[in-house]
Amino acid sequence: MKKKLIAGICLGAAAGLLAVTAAETMKSDPGAVLANSSASAKEKVAAIQSHVGQVETNLPSYTSKEGALTAAQTENVTTESWKKINGYFDGDTLRRMKLYPQTGSEKTEEFYFFENEPVFVFVEEKGAEKEGHDKDTVGSKYYFACAR
């Protein structure tokens, strides 16, 4: 009985240590989880949230490129009408893209990329006047697992 109790405590402690180590790895390198095809959906969502947080933290250091859009430029991919797009680059790597609406709407869509693949999209009904992403803002969130 005593051996089983000690073994149970050791296994529990080891599992707890592995969970803490995984959480620390995810915070410092969410890419390790995103690149792991056997990671669970819960682990990938947490890694994506961590990645989005890192992108937002680093946003001021990224190169911002803005472009005007016309309905003709986006008609093959969306029914939405966008007037402006902002891309945020870390060197040549796109990290975040935000689409701004035509006059009469405040809806925005933010796309976050990991290794040039979209991993998160946030649709905010009243985001036109905001630059950064507020994790507490109400909106639609879409998570994508990298195809690896």
Side-chain angles (χ1 to χ4, degrees):
M1 177 71 167
K2 188 174 184 179
K3 286 183 182 180
K4 287 183 182 179
L5 178 61
I6 291 172
I9 291 171
C10 289
L11 288 174
L17 181 59
L18 287 174
V20 168
T21 302
E24 287 173 353
T25 298
M26 192 170 20
K27 285 181 182 175
S28 63
D29 183 18
V33 175
L34 293 174
N36 181 355
S37 62
S38 64
S40 70
K42 185 176 181 178
E43 290 170 322
K44 288 200 175 201
V45 166
I48 290 168
Q49 290 170 337
S50 178
H51 177 68
V52 168
Q54 288 177 355
V55 168
E56 286 302 317
T57 297
N58 294 321
L59 202 62
S61 68
Y62 295 154
T63 302
S64 176
K65 296 180 182 177
E66 183 177 307
L69 293 173
T70 64
Q73 290 174 303
T74 60
E75 67 186 358
N76 291 333
V77 293
T78 183
T79 57
E80 300 286 342
S81 184
W82 303 106
K83 74 172 179 181
K84 180 173 82 167
I85 183 171
N86 276 6
Y88 298 87
F89 295 84
D90 182 9
D92 291 336
T93 304
L94 179 63
R95 296 290 183 199
R96 179 176 180 259
M97 180 175 67
K98 187 169 183 177
L99 295 169
Y100 293 87
Q102 294 288 345
T103 304
S105 174
E106 294 181 52
K107 179 180 177 180
T108 58
E109 294 184 8
E110 300 171 34
F111 297 79
Y112 293 81
F113 296 85
F114 174 75
E115 294 185 353
N116 298 314
E117 293 184 41
V119 291
F120 181 70
V121 177
F122 183 69
V123 179
E124 185 177 355
E125 294 302 321
K126 297 187 184 236
E129 299 300 319
K130 299 177 183 175
E131 181 67 24
H133 173 76
D134 178 359
K135 66 180 178 135
D136 297 322
T137 299
V138 175
S140 299
K141 299 175 182 181
Y142 302 92
Y143 295 85
F144 301 89
C146 296
R148 288 191 175 57

